[in-house]
Every structure is written in C-alpha cells, then in structure tokens.
Amino acid sequence: EDQVTQSPEALRLQEGESSSLNCSYTVSGLRGLFWYRQDPGKGPEFLFTLYSAGEEKEKERLKATLTKKESFLHITAPKPEDSATYLCAVQDPIQGAQKLVFGQGTRLTINP
Amino acid sequence: ETGVTQSPTHLIKTRGQQVTLRCSSQSGHNTVSWYQQALGQGPQFIFQYYREEENGRGNFPPRFSGLQFPNYSSELNVNALELDDSALYLCASSLAPSGSFSNEQFFGPGTRLTVL
C-alpha cells in the first residue's frame, strides 16, 4: 500500500532562517508528487507537481526537489506569511481514479 | 476563471441524521474528488467522479455517496451520521488524467461538519 511520511511534524524558524521539509514515499510507479500549502481552517492550495527524479520547481521562496524515494521542500529566507501546514501527496491509481495519498503534513511557524 | 467553491462553510448535525454537502468545480474541470480531513491529519480520499460516474472509492462505507452534475457541480451525501464523521470535507476538481500522469487537483475551502 502506498505510504507518505512527512518530517518533521512541526518546525519553528526565525524569519530569514532557511530550512527543508521532507516527504518520504513508497509507491509503485510514481505518477506525480504534489505539494500543497494549507492555512488553518482552509482548503489546501496547490504549490507544485513533480513527476520524475531530479526534477526541481521553484516559486518565490520555495523550491521542491524529487528523488526516487523522497521529496524536499526547501524554504529560503522565510517570512512570517510562510507560516502554514505543508502537505505532500502522491497519486495512487485506484480503479482509474486520481486518488491522492497525503502525508500528515508539516506545521511550519516563522517567527518575526 | 472561478475557483472551487463549497457550501455550507460550517454545519452542525446530530448523530443519525443525514447531510448533503455541495461543491462547484472549476470551470472546464470534468473530474471531482472528495476528501475527509480530520484535525491534525492529511486529507483522506473518499471517492472521485468523472463525467457523472463514480470511478474510484477509498475506504469509506456505502453511507457516503455522491453525485456529479453536468454543470460542474457535485454533492457529497452522508447518511446515519456518526460522531467520527466530524471533520473538514474537501472537494477538489481536476482534468481527467492525460496518459500516465496525473493532473493537479484544486481544492475548495471545505465544509466543517460537526456531529454531536
């Protein structure tokens, strides 16, 4: 069964202090790894899709990378508005549907 | 281009009751998925609809059912509510997969359901 594990569960950083979030996955035949940002009480907001090992994508202070077993979300010089829960998910092809299997998320807090 | 919308925002029901949650997909998206998210957890897949037919279901009992309409709207129905059904219910719209790869799913703001 496909599994996604994110670490750490929670991370507290000072403004400007760069770090990385980890997403480890086991899936038979990766069809896409997705990163989302979720603010409290709201729906996940799409950030990136990665399809193959070695692929990288960037958006403002965020950069996502992918290997055969894990993905990293690097955050460079974060600001307080980057505080959120970051979710990663892999696509599990079930009966032809696009089922996303999510990790439990990393709760990121950036202190000013 | 409008995003994904859901209604209502919040809902309080009692055990044993039935509930209908509504979703309006992003224009042009022919696939809608529903997820349940318990507090502090990642979303869990309930089922997916493509062209008004269910084409995949997660580990949820039959009392969770859905409908998809031609106008990009959809419904999630839950019968015989249980206390453990209290959660944030999310719908996500997307295009059907192209080849071997998945398309991005765009989520609505969710409906917070509380079962007392």
Side-chain angles (χ1 to χ4, degrees):
Chain A
E1 185 174 308
D2 298 341
Q3 283 195 316
V4 179
T5 304
Q6 292 187 246
S7 62
E9 287 189 12
L11 181 63
R12 191 177 291 270
L13 300 171
Q14 290 299 122
E15 184 172 1
E17 182 184 359
S18 301
S19 188
S20 297
L21 313 182
N22 177 263
C23 171
S24 298
Y25 64 91
T26 55
V27 64
S28 52
L30 184 68
R31 297 190 176 197
L33 184 140
F34 304 85
W35 281 98
Y36 288 86
R37 169 195 169 125
Q38 187 173 29
D39 292 306
K42 297 190 176 181
E45 174 190 345
F46 171 75
L47 293 174
F48 305 109
T49 308
L50 302 167
Y51 290 111
S52 55
E55 191 174 357
E56 297 183 354
K57 288 195 177 170
E58 287 188 63
K59 179 180 179 180
E60 295 181 358
R61 295 176 291 283
L62 298 176
K63 183 169 81 172
T65 61
L66 182 65
T67 72
K68 287 187 178 179
K69 292 185 177 181
E70 56 192 352
S71 177
F72 293 93
L73 185 65
H74 308 277
I75 182 159
T76 303
K79 299 181 178 181
E81 54 262 41
D82 295 321
S83 297
T85 295
Y86 290 86
L87 297 163
C88 79
V90 296
Q91 197 252 340
D92 172 12
I94 172 174
Q95 305 161 23
Q98 299 180 82
K99 169 189 175 184
L100 291 181
V101 177
F102 281 87
Q104 80 279 15
T106 293
R107 192 171 62 254
L108 178 65
T109 304
I110 308 298
N111 294 317
Chain B
E1 180 182 285
T2 57
V4 181
T5 60
Q6 291 186 245
S7 63
T9 306
H10 297 90
L11 203 51
I12 299 175
K13 291 285 187 177
T14 56
R15 197 170 47 181
Q17 284 188 312
Q18 178 265 343
V19 70
T20 298
L21 310 182
R22 293 180 172 82
C23 171
S24 181
S25 295
Q26 193 164 313
S27 180
H29 283 184
N30 52 16
T31 302
V32 64
S33 306
W34 286 90
Y35 293 82
Q36 180 195 68
Q37 187 176 25
L39 208 58
Q41 302 296 317
Q44 282 201 301
F45 178 78
I46 302 174
F47 46 55
Q48 185 176 86
Y49 278 77
Y50 170 62
R51 291 185 175 177
E52 302 164 49
E53 297 280 338
E54 183 183 299
N55 72 330
R57 171 179 279 265
N59 295 326
F60 281 82
R63 61 189 184 85
F64 286 77
S65 63
L67 286 171
Q68 184 186 27
F69 304 102
N71 65 350
Y72 303 117
S73 68
S74 59
E75 291 180 354
L76 165 66
N77 299 289
V78 188
N79 293 322
L81 284 167
E82 301 176 0
L83 297 179
D84 286 347
D85 295 333
S86 295
L88 182 68
Y89 288 85
L90 298 160
C91 77
S93 74
S94 60
L95 294 170
S98 50
S100 323
F101 297 108
S102 292
N103 289 303
E104 295 83 358
Q105 295 186 23
F106 296 92
F107 285 83
T111 293
R112 171 70 62 188
L113 174 64
T114 302
V115 182
L116 302 175

